[in-house]
Amino acid sequence: MHLIPIQINVPPYEPQDIPPTESKIDAGRRPGDRSSFPSSAGHLFFEYLVVVSLKKNSGGNYEPKITYQFPKRENLLRGQREEEERLLQAIPLFCFPDGNEWAPLTEYTSETFSFVLTNVDGSRKIGYCRRLLPTGRGARLPEVYCIISCLGCFGLFSKILDEVEKRRQISAAVIYPFMQGLRESSFPAPGKTVTIKSFIPDSGTELLELTRPLDSRLEHVEFRALLQCLSPDKILQIFASTALERRIVFLAEDLSSLSKCIHAAAALLYPFTWAHTYIPVVPEQLLSTVCCPTPFMVGIQKRYLEEVLDQPMEEVLLVDLCEGKFLKLVGDEDEILPGKLQSEMLASLPTVSNNIMTSEEFNVRVSETFVQFFVKTIGHYPAHIKWNRSGQGSFQEKSFCKAPTSKTCRRFLKRFVKTQMFSLFIQEAERSRKCVEGYFQQKLNEYQEQKKLRRLS
């Protein structure tokens, strides 16, 4: 995985969120054949469950604090203990990214979102969060149940958080036996199911089946959420901006929309991965991130719109997910992608009102639209890698960019080859020509076969 650290005052853990298709590339894979966590089967589901509550500080403001941690780890070595302390210190900020101006509530709609903290050694911890209002009488403060795991599967952990919330409405004490059962189970392989037994007072023993999606490329993404907020043509303009590694800010009222939509936008880049600053929900203290001169993709709650607009931002695409419109543009977003391919993509995208498709089928259909774009624009790259006798490849950029017959396609490639994501992709391709075929390579082969058949007919 290629993640660029963000400099903030919570060292050495730094906020990043892993786009659904990012991962370290296994030896023997072709570039682009990436899953969230290719070797995750058999891992523990999670490392910690923490409860983050709001407590008044000496200034009279509410401040997020960890009030419960499961399991409590003892007998840690000094380095392990220090790492745990840094992790636990960083978590509260991202569970309550929307500041400290809270007041007790009688009603609150639960929210689900996620974040990732990246250690200086490159190891990653994902935080899956459910913010809810605990049961009780009168006004009370929301709290966050945060599951810390090294595994990427947003849909599956959302289901686990549903169970956590259901048990919290009975008693917090009912949550922990369930989490213990989960911790004793192994994370399933793609397409496989694990069954968790759990006892609930007055209901008896319940069996919870957790199934991991078969296609691990898409197990951390919900494209429907993005299409519910934005029209297809605007999604293509966002895709074009991410492909050229520009600065993009998403705005929404709630944390769930921000988290889902920014995950989806990043996933559109498969087989490439966003290699720059990436924070799906920016905490209030880090709003100055939008002043960064380098590329970024961040999500900010709309309540901070005025503060964002007051920042000295360079060229940026500002996306209002609530209104489904752009508040700021560079101006050329609809001219970046080749026109013919844009039309094909718009025709291929499913409508958000399509209730016949399952969520997984919908994800596959959307993903396939953008995969085909890259198949048609960069699918000829293997023919432009020269190999020496020792098996080292050398990419021929000029001939690659000149190869397409379409002028607009050549213009796009001249800009795209300068991005970091393409550079990393090609570096991987140059390492070895003997690779196991993966999903993207299969699509390239299918496309080449179709072209041959058309020529023969």
Side-chain angles (χ1 to χ4, degrees), residues 227 230-237 345-346 349-351 370:
L227 278 124
L230 297 165
S231 62
D233 63 304
K234 285 186 169 54
I235 290 173
L236 289 196
Q237 290 181 59
M345 294 165 81
L346 288 171
L349 282 173
T351 59
F370 292 88

Side-chain angles (χ1 to χ4, degrees), residues 361-395:
E361 289 169 342
F362 192 91
N363 281 346
V364 169
R365 176 74 175 274
V366 173
S367 177
E368 187 67 14
T369 297
F370 292 88
V371 167
Q372 286 301 317
F373 170 82
F374 284 122
V375 165
K376 293 172 183 177
T377 52
I378 66 103
H380 58 292
Y381 81 88
H384 297 271
I385 298 177
K386 283 188 176 180
W387 299 95
N388 61 25
R389 291 180 179 178
S390 62
Q392 180 64 42
S394 176
F395 179 61

Side-chain angles (χ1 to χ4, degrees), residues 65-353:
K65 298 283 186 183
I66 291 178
T67 53
Y68 185 86
Q69 172 194 334
F70 171 81
K72 290 279 188 181
R73 295 176 66 187
E74 299 176 353
N75 303 320
L76 294 176
L77 298 175
R78 181 180 175 182
Q80 292 174 320
R81 186 170 63 253
E82 289 174 353
E83 181 183 348
E84 180 183 74
E85 288 172 357
R86 292 192 295 262
L87 170 66
L88 297 177
Q89 179 190 357
I91 290 170
L93 178 66
F94 294 93
C95 289
F96 283 92
D98 35 9
N100 56 12
E101 295 179 5
W102 285 90
L105 306 165
T106 55
E107 292 184 1
Y108 182 80
T109 303
S110 299
E111 293 187 274
T112 306
F113 55 99
S114 66
F115 61 86
V116 168
L117 296 174
T118 303
N119 202 359
V120 288
D121 66 358
S123 61
R124 300 164 303 281
K125 313 285 185 186
I126 308 178
Y128 297 96
C129 302
R130 176 67 56 88
R131 193 154 74 183
L132 54 84
L133 196 64
T135 53
R137 294 181 179 178
R140 51 214 182 275
L141 291 161
E143 60 190 16
V144 174
Y145 282 79
C146 177
I147 299 172
I148 302 297
S149 176
C150 65
L151 306 174
C153 192
F154 190 84
L156 191 146
F157 278 95
S158 292
K159 189 173 181 180
I160 293 170
L161 287 167
D162 289 342
E163 296 298 318
V164 168
E165 182 169 7
K166 182 171 76 174
R167 285 159 175 76
R168 181 63 183 91
Q169 304 312 318
I170 301 169
S171 168
V174 186
I175 296 172
Y176 311 120
F178 167 69
M179 295 304 292
Q180 179 62 39
L182 189 66
R183 188 171 165 78
E184 292 170 356
S185 302
S186 294
F187 195 69
K192 300 299 182 183
T193 299
V194 65
T195 302
I196 310 296
K197 287 185 179 182
S198 176
F199 178 80
I200 299 182
D202 301 326
S203 299
T205 300
E206 287 192 357
L207 298 178
L208 173 65
E209 290 191 344
L210 297 171
T211 302
R212 185 176 173 189
L214 185 61
D215 190 346
S216 57
R217 287 183 307 115
L218 304 174
E219 65 186 357
H220 201 65
V221 64
E222 293 180 44
F223 286 125
R224 198 183 293 269
L226 190 62
L227 278 124
Q228 285 171 338
C229 294
L230 297 165
S231 62
D233 63 304
K234 285 186 169 54
I235 290 173
L236 289 196
Q237 290 181 59
I238 291 170
F239 170 69
S241 298
T242 58
L244 294 189
E245 295 183 332
R246 292 182 169 181
R247 290 174 286 274
I248 307 156
V249 178
F250 291 87
L251 296 165
E253 298 287 358
D254 64 283
L255 302 177
S256 298
S257 292
L258 278 177
S259 190
K260 289 178 181 178
C261 288
I262 199 168
H263 276 310
L268 298 177
L269 291 170
Y270 177 85
F272 301 93
T273 58
W274 182 260
H276 301 276
T277 300
Y278 181 86
I279 318 176
V281 183
V282 176
E284 182 184 21
Q285 296 95 316
L286 302 180
L287 289 179
S288 60
T289 301
V290 299
C291 302
C292 185
T294 55
F296 59 74
M297 196 188 315
V298 300
I300 294 175
Q301 286 182 288
K302 200 173 177 181
R303 68 177 74 180
Y304 301 124
L305 176 58
E306 286 189 16
E307 289 97 316
V308 170
L309 294 175
D310 286 341
Q311 300 285 343
M313 291 184 288
E314 296 190 24
E315 289 185 333
V316 66
L317 179 62
L318 193 57
V319 185
D320 187 337
L321 294 169
C322 301
E323 300 294 330
K325 64 183 183 182
F326 297 146
L327 302 183
K328 272 180 176 285
L329 298 99
V330 174
D332 65 346
E333 285 83 357
D334 59 352
E335 300 168 3
I336 296 170
L337 306 179
K340 182 182 177 184
L341 292 181
Q342 280 198 65
S343 299
E344 290 177 5
M345 294 165 81
L346 288 171
S348 175
L349 282 173
T351 59
V352 73
S353 58

